[in-house]
Structure formats: structure tokens, C-alpha cells
Amino acid sequence: MKIPFNDLKRQFCEEEKDLRQAFERVLERGWYLSGPEAVGFEKEFAEWSGSGFAVSVANGTDAIILALTALGLEPGDEVIVPSHTAPPCYHAILASGLIPAFVEIDQDYYTLDPASVEEAITENTKAVLAVHLYGQMCDMDRLVQVCKENGLYLIEDCAQAHGASYKGKPAGTMGEMGAYSFYPTKNLGALGDAGMVCGMSSRFGEELARLKQYGESERYVSTVPGVNSRMDELQAAFLRERLKRLDSHVQERNRLAALYSELLLDTPVTVPKVRPETRHAFHLYVIRCPKAADLGRFLKEHGVGSAVHYPVPGHMQPMFKLGEADCAGVSKLDFSYRLRNEILSLPFFPGLGDEEVRKVVSLIKDFYTD
Ligand SMILES: *Cc1c(COP(=O)(O)O)cnc(C)c1O
């Protein structure tokens, strides 16, 4: 039995009829950008995510870039970001003309460590990018407090956290803005690239609407320098259909995660913890274990896919060492440095069968008893 790390086709089979109808709808209308599908999806996603506004953009990296740009920071200002995260986080900061200040994650939940954030604050620090990694919410009470006390903006990276919440508050609603990605493998995925910026204050909503389309306040009249970052009508139409199933997909993800964790009891594997008083929206199922790289190879030999998210911490990326880009922050990030060699992401996606989860776990048990 071969078990892929991910298989998007299984979801497609379930949704095929709806997706084909969405395609037909756009094709027949003959309107491909900035039309009723994008507007409709913005409205529906704002409602679903409990946000005051939602502005559709071309991808999740642009969502972070445009959110940071809308804050109106100065070139060279620093944005605090965890070192253990997806590369787009720090690339978005660099692309905004800002400097990533790398900090540590906490050892239980792998999200921004508030104490490390406080330690990294300098007079140049202007914002914090709180990444809800793997679908796990950051310690938002403390991060909100640190930001308030130090006059920092708080942007939430929700690219892996569609459906997560903290003490009942949805991801993306506790800082200035929340950035979402709809990359195909995310909890809510398009059939290509797409992203969204959500928030509460219409001031930012209006600024984002300008920035994403040539800085225009009206057609062909630019009041600020902008870019082209629009969501295709086709992607918006697909996403509207898939949004209807998002809650049940998140439930299924969380059920599969619970099954893995239950079956992995009494093994040398550390299973993911869920922060109390939060709703985790499992995007990846990441274990911490001895000989992680060997385990990954062993699974591969037995036809099981796995991956490492992420093998190179931000502060160790060659571009910083080579002087191609500047970074700042807490220089000794021992835990992030160590963790990258101790983690493994197991096959995980809606449509993965219980018997497949059992098979993966029995292989893991074989590996540790050999
Ligand atoms: C996927 C991802 C992004 C970027 O999204 P793209 O749509 O691929 O540009 C940003 N941050 C995190 C944490 C991600 O996982």
C-alpha cells in the first residue's frame, strides 16, 4: 500500500460537480478579473472569518506584503517573525523593504515565543508577524499585550490556520490584519494561486483595495504607488464552492490528527500538543521524534510520503550569510536550530483513510522496535 504525503485529487473527486459548475459560470459570463466572483468571495470569506473586511489578492505572500505596506512603515523598519516558519514569511518582509528580526518559538506549540519577541524589540521594531504555524494559534493574549505596550502593529499570518480560533476569536481578527493563502494544499485551497487580507478597520481595507490595483483610488487615477495583485474570477469561483465544505474539512483534519495522536501513544514520538482554550485547525501533522531523518527514509522505503516543515530556519538561510539580504533579531535561536532535525510531517489531508493512518503508525512502531 502506497500512502502519499498529500493527494489533492481525492478532494477533487468529492467536489468535481461543484467545481465544474463554477468553471462553467465564469466561462459563460466572460468576466475574468475583478468581477462578481471575487466580490462575492470577499463578502463570504469576511463573514466566515469574522472579519470586518476581506480583500482578495493574487497569493498569500502578496497578502503579507500588502498588509505590511498598508501599515505605512519606513524602509529599514524591523518586523519580528519566528525563525521556524515557511520562507514566504521573511521573503514578504524583505519584499516590503523591511528587515526580518528572527525570534524563537516556544517548545510546546512551535509558535512565536512572547518572551523572545520582547527580547528582540529595538527602536526600529514596528510590527510583529504572528504565524499560526501548522494551524496552531499563537499565544495571542500575550502577543497582543506585548504589541500594545511597545506600540507595535500585529499582523497574523493565517496561511495555515483557516478555521483556527483563540478563546473563541477567529484567526486574523486580533491584530491589525490577517493574511491568508489559498495555495492548493492549504486548509482552503484554490486550483492555483490566491490569497486574502482580512481585518477590522475599513481604513486598511480601503488602502489594500488601492494597493492591489496600481494604487488607484478610481480607474486610471493612482494616488499611491501600487502593484497588480488580483485574484482570478475562476479561482474565486472555485474557492466559493470549496468554502462551503471548509468547516467539515477542518473537522476531518482534526479528527485525523486525533487518531494519529491516539495511535502514537506509547511510542518514542512526541505528538503535537493543542494550546488550551484554542481551536487548532490542523494543516500539517508534525511529530517530533528521535532519528527523524532516518524515520523519513524508512517510511519512503515502505511507500509512505513524509516531509520536513521546515529544514532551514530563517536566520540560517544562505541569503543572509551571503549578505544578499539583512536580518536582525535574537541571534542564538537554539531551539529552532535543533527542532529542524527532530521533526517530520506525516501524510495528512482530508480524504486520507483511517486504515492508512493505522498503516503509517504501524510502520513507525516497526522502525522503533527494529
Ligand atoms: C503558504 C504560506 C504562505 C504563502 O502563501 P503563498 O500563497 O504560497 O504565497 C505564507 N505564510 C505561511 C505560513 C504559509 O504556509
Side-chain angles (χ1 to χ4, degrees):
M1 172 158 68
K2 265 200 175 343
I3 304 175
F5 176 67
N6 202 331
D7 183 0
L8 295 174
K9 239 179 153 174
R10 293 195 201 173
Q11 271 184 63
F12 175 71
C13 294
E14 179 196 340
E15 301 174 338
E16 178 170 359
K17 202 167 131 265
D18 295 344
L19 294 176
R20 287 194 192 280
Q21 270 172 7
F23 183 79
E24 287 290 320
R25 203 161 75 218
V26 173
L27 205 60
E28 274 169 29
R29 192 182 292 122
W31 189 347
Y32 306 120
L33 284 166
S34 313
E37 300 294 342
V39 172
F41 181 50
E42 286 176 344
K43 194 165 159 286
E44 287 152 18
F45 194 77
E47 209 162 285
W48 177 86
S49 64
S51 308
F53 70 81
V55 175
S56 59
V57 296
N59 57 66
T61 309
D62 276 4
I64 304 172
I65 294 172
L66 293 171
L68 289 170
T69 307
L71 296 176
L73 305 181
E74 299 291 328
D77 283 348
E78 293 175 12
V79 180
I80 289 176
V81 62
S83 185
H84 179 73
T85 190
C89 301
Y90 38 90
H91 283 282
I93 294 170
L94 293 170
S96 310
L98 305 167
I99 295 177
F102 289 112
V103 304
E104 193 61 285
I105 49 170
D106 72 68
Q107 306 207 359
D108 284 329
Y109 307 109
Y110 311 150
T111 57
L112 264 185
D113 172 32
S116 188
V117 170
E118 280 190 291
E119 203 183 324
I121 294 172
T122 70
E123 59 191 12
N124 297 324
T125 310
K126 295 291 150 54
V128 172
L129 184 64
V131 184
H132 304 310
L133 196 70
Y134 308 149
Q136 172 99 266
M137 293 298 300
C138 296
D139 183 351
M140 292 309 285
D141 278 353
R142 284 190 63 201
L143 287 178
V144 167
Q145 191 193 352
V146 169
C147 287
K148 221 180 231 166
E149 283 170 6
N150 294 279
L152 308 178
Y153 292 116
L154 179 58
I155 304 292
E156 296 178 68
D157 182 337
C158 308
Q160 303 190 358
H162 320 60
S165 61
Y166 180 91
K167 297 188 178 172
K169 286 173 266 186
T173 62
M174 285 160 276
E176 269 65 41
M177 282 167 270
Y180 283 88
S181 163
F182 306 113
Y183 182 81
T185 59
K186 302 285 158 109
N187 291 4
L188 177 60
L191 309 189
D193 274 319
M196 189 79 90
V197 188
C198 294
M200 287 301 177
S201 157
S202 56
R203 173 168 75 94
F204 290 125
E206 286 156 20
E207 183 66 8
L208 287 161
R210 267 196 296 276
L211 289 170
K212 67 172 249 192
Q213 166 114 343
Y214 319 128
E216 291 179 350
S217 50
E218 54 186 291
R219 197 70 175 120
Y220 306 126
V221 181
S222 303
T223 46
V224 290
V227 295
N228 164 7
S229 185
R230 296 178 290 239
M231 184 188 292
D232 295 342
E233 283 288 282
L234 263 181
Q235 298 303 343
F238 295 143
L239 286 163
R240 292 177 86 181
E241 296 306 324
R242 306 198 66 200
L243 181 61
K244 297 172 190 162
R245 290 192 174 82
L246 178 54
D247 288 321
S248 74
H249 279 159
V250 170
Q251 272 173 31
E252 176 61 4
R253 286 173 175 278
N254 289 349
R255 191 189 69 79
L256 287 167
L259 179 62
Y260 262 127
S261 293
E262 185 194 319
L263 296 170
L264 284 166
L265 272 177
D266 306 319
T267 68
V269 167
T270 304
V271 300
K273 293 188 184 70
V274 178
R275 190 187 294 286
E277 295 188 78
T278 68
R279 182 180 189 232
H280 199 310
F282 273 90
H283 169 57
L284 295 168
Y285 187 84
V286 179
I287 58 171
R288 189 173 173 203
C289 55
K291 296 194 239 149
D294 291 340
L295 174 59
R297 270 189 292 275
F298 177 83
L299 291 176
K300 191 175 175 203
E301 281 163 22
H302 290 81
V304 173
S306 66
V308 178
H309 297 92
Y310 296 87
V312 184
H315 71 288
M316 291 174 61
Q317 289 289 352
M319 64 177 169
F320 297 115
K321 300 227 159 65
L322 295 171
E324 298 294 327
D326 287 330
C327 69
V330 183
S331 55
K332 276 190 84 202
L333 303 173
D334 296 341
F335 184 68
S336 296
Y337 180 77
R338 213 169 68 221
L339 187 69
R340 74 205 171 103
N341 290 324
E342 299 178 1
I343 48 176
L344 197 66
S345 308
L346 300 180
F348 193 71
F349 53 95
L352 182 69
D354 288 14
E355 68 290 353
E356 292 175 304
V357 172
R358 284 178 212 287
K359 173 74 184 170
V360 175
V361 172
S362 91
L363 283 168
I364 292 173
K365 288 182 172 166
D366 289 349
F367 174 77
Y368 286 111
T369 47
D370 274 355

